[in-house]
Short mmCIF file of all heavy atoms in Angstrom, two decimals:
data_model
loop_
_atom_site.label_atom_id
_atom_site.label_comp_id
_atom_site.label_asym_id
_atom_site.label_seq_id
_atom_site.Cartn_x
_atom_site.Cartn_y
_atom_site.Cartn_z
N PHE G 308 3.96 2.90 -16.08
CA PHE G 308 2.72 3.59 -15.80
C PHE G 308 3.02 5.01 -15.47
O PHE G 308 4.17 5.38 -15.22
CB PHE G 308 1.93 2.91 -14.63
CG PHE G 308 2.57 3.00 -13.28
CD1 PHE G 308 2.41 4.13 -12.49
CD2 PHE G 308 3.35 2.00 -12.78
CE1 PHE G 308 2.99 4.24 -11.21
CE2 PHE G 308 3.99 2.05 -11.54
CZ PHE G 308 3.76 3.20 -10.76
N VAL G 309 2.02 5.85 -15.56
CA VAL G 309 2.19 7.32 -15.29
C VAL G 309 1.24 7.80 -14.21
O VAL G 309 0.03 7.50 -14.23
CB VAL G 309 1.97 8.14 -16.62
CG1 VAL G 309 2.04 9.60 -16.29
CG2 VAL G 309 3.04 7.74 -17.67
N LYS G 310 1.82 8.45 -13.21
CA LYS G 310 1.05 9.04 -12.15
C LYS G 310 0.56 10.45 -12.46
O LYS G 310 1.32 11.24 -12.99
CB LYS G 310 1.86 9.03 -10.85
CG LYS G 310 1.92 7.69 -10.15
CD LYS G 310 2.18 7.85 -8.66
CE LYS G 310 3.59 8.50 -8.42
NZ LYS G 310 3.61 9.24 -7.14
N ILE G 311 -0.69 10.70 -12.00
CA ILE G 311 -1.32 11.99 -12.27
C ILE G 311 -1.56 12.72 -10.99
O ILE G 311 -2.09 12.09 -10.03
CB ILE G 311 -2.63 11.80 -13.02
CG1 ILE G 311 -2.52 10.90 -14.21
CG2 ILE G 311 -3.26 13.12 -13.37
CD1 ILE G 311 -3.85 10.32 -14.70
N GLY G 312 -1.24 13.96 -10.87
CA GLY G 312 -1.61 14.78 -9.71
C GLY G 312 -0.52 15.60 -9.15
O GLY G 312 0.56 15.13 -8.86
N ILE G 313 -0.78 16.86 -9.05
CA ILE G 313 0.17 17.83 -8.37
C ILE G 313 -0.64 18.70 -7.49
O ILE G 313 -1.53 19.46 -7.90
CB ILE G 313 0.91 18.69 -9.42
CG1 ILE G 313 1.84 17.80 -10.28
CG2 ILE G 313 1.77 19.71 -8.75
CD1 ILE G 313 2.57 18.54 -11.38
N GLY G 314 -0.32 18.59 -6.16
CA GLY G 314 -0.95 19.51 -5.17
C GLY G 314 -2.29 19.10 -4.68
O GLY G 314 -2.89 19.81 -3.87
N GLY G 315 -2.78 17.92 -5.01
CA GLY G 315 -4.14 17.47 -4.57
C GLY G 315 -4.15 16.65 -3.29
O GLY G 315 -5.21 16.38 -2.79
N GLY G 316 -2.96 16.27 -2.78
CA GLY G 316 -2.93 15.43 -1.55
C GLY G 316 -3.32 16.25 -0.39
O GLY G 316 -3.17 17.48 -0.34
N SER G 317 -3.88 15.55 0.64
CA SER G 317 -4.41 16.24 1.82
C SER G 317 -3.36 16.96 2.65
O SER G 317 -3.64 17.92 3.33
CB SER G 317 -5.17 15.25 2.72
OG SER G 317 -4.28 14.18 3.12
N ILE G 318 -2.11 16.50 2.52
CA ILE G 318 -1.01 17.13 3.31
C ILE G 318 -0.07 17.90 2.38
O ILE G 318 0.95 18.41 2.80
CB ILE G 318 -0.18 16.10 4.12
CG1 ILE G 318 0.08 14.83 3.29
CG2 ILE G 318 -0.86 15.82 5.42
CD1 ILE G 318 0.95 14.93 2.17
N CYS G 319 -0.46 18.06 1.08
CA CYS G 319 0.40 18.72 0.10
C CYS G 319 0.01 20.23 0.04
O CYS G 319 -1.18 20.56 -0.06
CB CYS G 319 0.24 18.05 -1.24
SG CYS G 319 1.30 18.79 -2.49
#
Side-chain angles (χ1 to χ4, degrees):
F308 67 85
V309 173
K310 278 203 299 152
I311 309 162
I313 295 176
S317 59
I318 41 69
C319 183

